[in-house]
């Protein structure tokens, strides 16, 4: 049987270009890993929907099964799973995240992304 949480997950990732499944909210993350990814997106000015998995146990478990990825946070762009905290951090520093956002027509501040890279040298 299909996980009943999948419908809500599919709806979120279909109706929003960028979705972050996280612990807490974009303005009040409740886990360091979620905070890190939300912080990057916020700083880069990316518009995204934050889904607080702590508010819904079915989504918390469902998203792990849906993406076949065992942890939170999880970032989706245009319906595709991109990664968790480690992957997003690496992609930010390598510039791959910029490319992915550009290719998908998602607006962000290149200047802010460059500043993150500059401060991590
Ligand atoms: N290495 C992971 C770190 C994330 C992580 O370890 N998350 C844990 C603790 S917040 C988690 O989601 N555990 C399962 C759960 O809490 O449902 C990443 O890159 O995202």
């Amino acid at each position: 049987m299909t996980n009943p949480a999948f419908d809500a997950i599919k709806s979120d990732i279909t109706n929003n270009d960028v979705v972050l499944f996280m612990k807490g909210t974009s303005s009040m993350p409740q886990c360091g890993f979620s905070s890190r990814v939300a912080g990057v997106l916020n700083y880069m000015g990316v518009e995204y929907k934050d889904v607080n998995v702590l508010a819904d146990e079915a989504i918390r478990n469902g998203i792990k099964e849906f993406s076949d990825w065992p942890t939170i946070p999880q970032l989706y762009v245009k319906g595709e799973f991109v990664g968790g905290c480690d992957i997003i951090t690496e992609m930010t520093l390598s510039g791959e995240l910029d490319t992915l956002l550009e290719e998908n027509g998602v607006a962000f501040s290149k200047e802010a992304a460059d500043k993150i890279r500059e401060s991590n040298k």
Side-chain angles (χ1 to χ4, degrees), residues 72-84:
I72 311 295
Q74 296 193 16
L75 183 69
Y76 276 77
V77 174
K78 286 274 171 88
E80 297 290 332
F81 175 60
V82 182

Side-chain angles (χ1 to χ4, degrees), residues 23 31 33-34 60-61 64 69-73 83-87:
K23 293 187 178 180
C31 162
F33 302 115
S34 290
R60 179 178 182 169
N61 293 320
K64 295 175 198 164
W69 187 260
T71 52
I72 311 295
C85 179
D86 295 343
I87 289 174

Side-chain angles (χ1 to χ4, degrees), residues 18-26 29-41 48-54 59-60 63-65 67-77 80-89:
V18 183
V19 184
L20 181 62
F21 294 87
M22 64 182 291
K23 293 187 178 180
T25 62
S26 60
Q30 290 181 48
C31 162
F33 302 115
S34 290
S35 178
R36 184 162 190 152
V37 178
V40 165
L41 297 178
Y48 63 100
K49 174 168 182 168
D50 52 345
V51 178
N52 180 6
V53 303
L54 296 179
I59 298 289
R60 179 178 182 169
I63 191 62
K64 295 175 198 164
E65 188 184 330
S67 54
D68 198 19
W69 187 260
T71 52
I72 311 295
Q74 296 193 16
L75 183 69
Y76 276 77
V77 174
E80 297 290 332
F81 175 60
V82 182
C85 179
D86 295 343
I87 289 174
I88 300 308
T89 301

Side-chain angles (χ1 to χ4, degrees), residues 11-28:
S11 168
D12 277 338
I13 64 171
T14 304
N15 295 320
N16 301 277
D17 283 353
V18 183
V19 184
L20 181 62
F21 294 87
M22 64 182 291
K23 293 187 178 180
T25 62
S26 60
S27 56
M28 203 179 287

